[in-house]
Amino acid sequence: DTAVSQTPKYLVTQMGNDKSIKCEQNLGHDTMYWYKQDSKKFLKIMFSYNNKELIINETVPNRFSPKSPDKAHLNLHINSLELGDSAVYFCASSQGVRPQHFGDGTRLSIL
Amino acid sequence: GESVGLHLPTLSVQEGDNSIINCAYSNSASDYFIWYKQESGKGPQFIIDIRSNMDKRQGQRVTVLLNKTVKHLSLQIAATQPGDSAVYFCAENTSGTASKLTFGTGTRLQVTL
């Protein structure tokens, strides 16, 4: 009965590859987010979608492209992976201004 | 005690003692604040929230205090337990910014037996 689920949990790949992370929420929330958490645990928003529409796009390289096929799903595709992309990526969802619910993260390691 | 350095600030408390975790927020226009707990290998988990029209809110074993004058937020945990060991984040939100949360740097709470 996981509320916000991400796949995969771990992703190890080489520099230059393209990869995707998937996120699904079963809470009926209208808004979904992607966050990046670096090695110092700093958590920063990357994107936010509301009802499949992009509403927040922080200063993120064009290599990152979110896609929301429906309001329950928000995927993140990353092209030409770089060493600096190594981090934990969290998906979250919320309804209105109520607290965001987070998934357990995808740990991305670039070799 | 509390320490700040290259690593996450860490607060060590003995089991049964009360913990106070502090947070200085950045935006005077922020009107909604949340505390999250993050355990190892997990995502942030909601603990308690407070709106700017309040200065105190209590939950089960937790209390959040808000001082808007000095832009300071604190989380008090009563009778700290080993299961409270985690990294704690404060987050702020400004209404009208599409629920965009800005997170603080986090504090690691270590509970010793």
Side-chain angles (χ1 to χ4, degrees), chain B residues 27-67:
Chain B
N27 189 345
S28 55
S30 293
D31 57 8
Y32 179 57
F33 305 87
I34 308 177
W35 279 100
Y36 281 94
K37 172 187 181 183
Q38 186 178 21
E39 296 174 284
S40 180
K42 299 279 190 183
Q45 178 187 4
F46 169 80
I47 302 173
I48 192 167
D49 58 359
I50 189 167
R51 301 199 182 272
S52 59
N53 60 351
M54 303 171 71
D55 51 23
K56 180 179 179 178
R57 189 158 188 234
Q58 287 185 290
Q60 190 176 11
R61 280 202 308 120
V62 294
T63 301
V64 55
L65 298 177
L66 174 62
N67 184 332

Side-chain angles (χ1 to χ4, degrees), chain B residues 2-112:
Chain B
E2 187 173 315
S3 63
V4 176
L6 292 177
H7 304 288
L8 271 181
T10 299
L11 177 65
S12 293
V13 297
Q14 274 205 316
E15 183 180 4
D17 286 352
N18 296 334
S19 304
I20 300 176
I21 301 171
N22 296 303
C23 175
Y25 63 91
S26 55
N27 189 345
S28 55
S30 293
D31 57 8
Y32 179 57
F33 305 87
I34 308 177
W35 279 100
Y36 281 94
K37 172 187 181 183
Q38 186 178 21
E39 296 174 284
S40 180
K42 299 279 190 183
Q45 178 187 4
F46 169 80
I47 302 173
I48 192 167
D49 58 359
I50 189 167
R51 301 199 182 272
S52 59
N53 60 351
M54 303 171 71
D55 51 23
K56 180 179 179 178
R57 189 158 188 234
Q58 287 185 290
Q60 190 176 11
R61 280 202 308 120
V62 294
T63 301
V64 55
L65 298 177
L66 174 62
N67 184 332
K68 294 183 286 295
T69 305
V70 295
K71 292 191 288 187
H72 184 267
L73 199 63
S74 69
L75 176 71
Q76 300 178 1
I77 305 174
T80 312
Q81 301 168 0
D84 295 327
S85 294
V87 177
Y88 289 80
F89 293 95
C90 65
E92 59 186 293
N93 172 271
T94 307
S95 296
T97 57
S99 296
K100 177 184 164 184
L101 285 179
T102 301
F103 279 80
T105 52
T107 297
R108 186 180 301 281
L109 177 65
Q110 289 179 339
V111 182
T112 57

Side-chain angles (χ1 to χ4, degrees), chain A residues 61-80:
Chain A
N62 290 343
R63 300 180 294 103
F64 290 78
S65 52
K67 280 196 172 51
S68 181
D70 55 63
K71 76 172 195 176
H73 295 85
L74 181 62
N75 304 323
L76 184 65
H77 187 77
I78 316 170
N79 287 328
S80 304

